[in-house]
Amino acid sequence: MEIRSVKILGREGCRNCSGMHRNAQEILKERNIDAECIHVTDLQQIMAFGVMSLPGLVINDKVVSYGKILSKEDIRKYLGA
Amino acid sequence: MVWDFIQNELLGMRWLKAIIYGFVNLCGLDTESRIGGTVAFLFLDLTKISILLCFLIFLISFIQTFFLPEKSRRIMGRFGGLGARVIGALLGTVTPFCSCSSIPIFMGFTAAGLPLGVTFSFLISSPMVDLGSLVLLMSIFGWKVAALYVLFGLVIAVLGGTVIEHLHMEDQIAEFIRNTMAADLPEIEVTFKDRVRSAWSQVVSTYRRLIPYILVGVLIGALIHNWIPEVWVTSVLGTRNPFGVILATVCGVPMYADIFGCIPISEALLAKGALLGVVLSFMMAVTTLSFPSLVMLAKAVKPKLLCVFVAICTLGIITVGYLFNHLQGLII
């Protein structure tokens, strides 16, 4: 799977959400994947994904996980590494 | 026989009381004395609530992994009218909720086209009645009180939703929410292991978050239990004051605490002669409405709807309080 974009849906200033964002960035960097990695905190944008339970993980604009704090290992699995 | 065992030993934890009171006595403190009594109450309630809390949160979080708001929204969307509000109130009891997530949930429900009444039935029942309060109330006040508490809570939620629905206050929702589009989310495969893991992480994070509230609650409870003269309690919160329920509700509304923090206070007040309805209306008020949650909700709805919401909850809680006062003789 070619990864074009990774989005973390989370709350502004939430430690768990920013942690997930950081971990995702690190994994992308480790694997030399040139994809955008954004922490989305705007509720309207989050709603558009259909997610209400945060944090959520979106890969290539597809929601793969929500309502769960993911560890670095979990994110790695979703990114297929 | 079996039921008595569950009620007294498993939920009421009489064995724990025997151990702790025995231990405090062994240490040379008389549990009948004020100081000894305070120490014993502190240790007993702290241990009891911690055990119940960890066990309960685990069980509840496990059940809740089946009812994320995304799924509840889909279920509610299948019903209409009063039925939808009943379903909303029922799902409110099992869907994980904390006042900080009320905005995303409110937005998500509204954007998905759920009627306002259903959303409010959900928003009222979710903090007021949850599985945790059910088991805790069973442990301390017995199953009859617990069952009625849940029943009355659900009735308030459904009635509240119905009133709001009939007032047609759709224009009272903040613009940015009305303009939001929501997508329906396909369910994501969750394994048994995932559920257990997520439940366990809930136990840890919830216990850490709640421990200050519990400590304060238990401390106040211990003080009431051993230091406040009974006549004070009965004259303000007991049979001598017909306005006890109103007083308790009005005091409880702005307060922010968790039901686990309220329980030791309620328990101590009840033992000192406060009426059941007074104690329970205080608990309902504290959990359902709080200053922080209202500030949050004020961002999503206009003042008129906010006032209606507060009024309905307050009136409902006061009514239930008086009902419990009248039923007290029959249920405990």
Side-chain angles (χ1 to χ4, degrees), chain B residues 164-241:
Chain B
I164 289 175
E165 180 95 35
H166 285 282
L167 288 174
H168 296 291
M169 299 180 93
E170 282 72 18
D171 61 322
Q172 289 288 311
I173 304 169
E175 286 313 316
F176 78 97
I177 291 181
R178 267 188 289 169
N179 299 331
T180 301
M181 296 295 289
D184 192 25
L185 202 58
E187 205 159 331
I188 286 170
E189 189 84 30
V190 185
T191 62
F192 180 79
K193 213 176 122 197
D194 278 341
R195 294 185 201 280
V196 171
R197 221 180 56 163
S198 126
W200 179 245
S201 75
Q202 279 294 323
V203 171
V204 177
S205 69
T206 314
Y207 190 70
R208 218 181 280 157
R209 186 167 55 82
L210 290 185
I211 194 74
Y213 294 105
I214 297 169
L215 272 174
V216 172
V218 171
L219 206 64
I220 299 176
L223 288 180
I224 296 172
H225 198 262
N226 298 286
W227 298 84
I228 304 239
E230 203 157 323
V231 57
W232 289 12
V233 177
T234 46
S235 57
V236 181
L237 304 172
T239 40
R240 293 201 218 157
N241 183 356

Side-chain angles (χ1 to χ4, degrees), chain B residues 236-238 241 244-245 248-249 274-283 321 325:
Chain B
V236 181
L237 304 172
N241 183 356
V245 170
T249 309
L275 287 173
L276 182 64
V278 174
V279 169
L280 290 183
S281 54
F282 176 72
M283 238 162 68
N325 276 352

Side-chain angles (χ1 to χ4, degrees), chain B residues 78-95:
Chain B
R78 282 191 221 129
F79 296 84
L82 186 67
R85 295 191 286 278
V86 173
I87 301 286
L90 285 172
L91 283 173
T93 64
V94 287
T95 306

